[in-house]
Amino acid sequence: MKILMIVVIMAMFQEAEPFINRLGLQKIVSNLDKQLPIEVFKGKVNESDVVLIVNGKDKRFGVDNVGTQPATLSTYLAINNFNPDLLMNAGTAGGFHAKGADIGDVYIGSDFIRFHDRRIPIPGFKEYGVGSYKVPDFDQFATDLGLKKGIISTGNSLDIIPKDLEMIKANEAVIKDMEAAAIAWVAELYNIPLITLKSITDLVDSKKPTQDEFMKNLSLASENLQKKLIAAINFCAGKTINEIIDRA
Ligand code: SAH
């Protein structure tokens, strides 16, 4: 089956803006759910429809709806409304310099996507908390597009406490974000392939405060993200999933 409907989920408008502009996506009046601030944009690449979902602003706090709950909601609604052949989650993230990450690098999530702040030390629940959603083998795809590969770990905080760091290390993660594992959970429930692209705004293992680095590097990272995201969409549009995933 060909990939003819691609849905891209992004948390922040600033992350999405260069992508919207470059692809000339049009904002549509969304009938997803009137109660939710989710924004929907539409466009076309080759023969594929491309729908971008941005989580919108919190009604009370006026800031972007980052984190796992909005990501879960918008992924569920996107799947129900647009029936995607392929899901993509694109955004910014923290990276570990010791594991090869630099500011502005764009990574594709590989191997597994995991949670680092759902600690439930009861047999069975422990593994459920970490999630470990399997990512298909995108080696050739990553090489062709010049993407670095790494395990993503998701939690609901931008900063980091020692326990999170311990979990991220146990998760063997190179990338730290706030949405990917939530999206991966919904994608797994509906058996829809997910490609995760993350552009590095800050280095988790540097001395500089994460929020300062994030703000300083957000536009560079979003620009780099846009380039790889469009290349990825061009690569996938009209192909079958089997043509994208490596065969053993
Ligand atoms: N201060 C920012 C807050 C954005 S939260 C603002 O007001 O604009 C950070 C967003 O970028 C989340 O969507 C998350 O997925 C990603 N992110 C970037 N760096 C991160 C890090 N070091 N840890 C976790 N998430 C990070």
Side-chain angles (χ1 to χ4, degrees), residues 128-140:
Y128 161 79
V130 175
S132 283
Y133 309 103
K134 182 87 190 86
V135 176
D137 212 338
F138 292 120
D139 279 6
Q140 193 55 50

Side-chain angles (χ1 to χ4, degrees), residues 217-239:
N217 298 317
L218 179 59
S219 63
L220 166 83
S222 303
E223 195 54 43
N224 290 357
L225 180 64
Q226 165 270 123
K227 288 187 194 131
K228 297 296 184 191
L229 179 56
I230 292 179
I233 291 173
N234 268 300
F235 188 96
C236 295
K239 289 202 175 71

Side-chain angles (χ1 to χ4, degrees), residues 168-186:
I168 291 171
K169 285 196 172 147
N171 283 350
E172 299 179 319
V174 186
I175 312 295
K176 172 177 176 278
D177 90 327
M178 297 173 65
E179 292 87 15
I183 296 168
W185 175 64
V186 187

Side-chain angles (χ1 to χ4, degrees), residues 116 119 160-171:
H116 56 257
R119 297 179 302 277
I160 190 155
I161 54 171
K163 191 70 197 174
D164 284 349
L165 186 58
E166 200 183 291
M167 291 284 286
I168 291 171
K169 285 196 172 147
N171 283 350

Side-chain angles (χ1 to χ4, degrees), residues 98-110:
K99 292 203 164 187
D102 275 310
I103 303 290
D105 283 350
V106 183
Y107 275 81
I108 182 166
S110 70

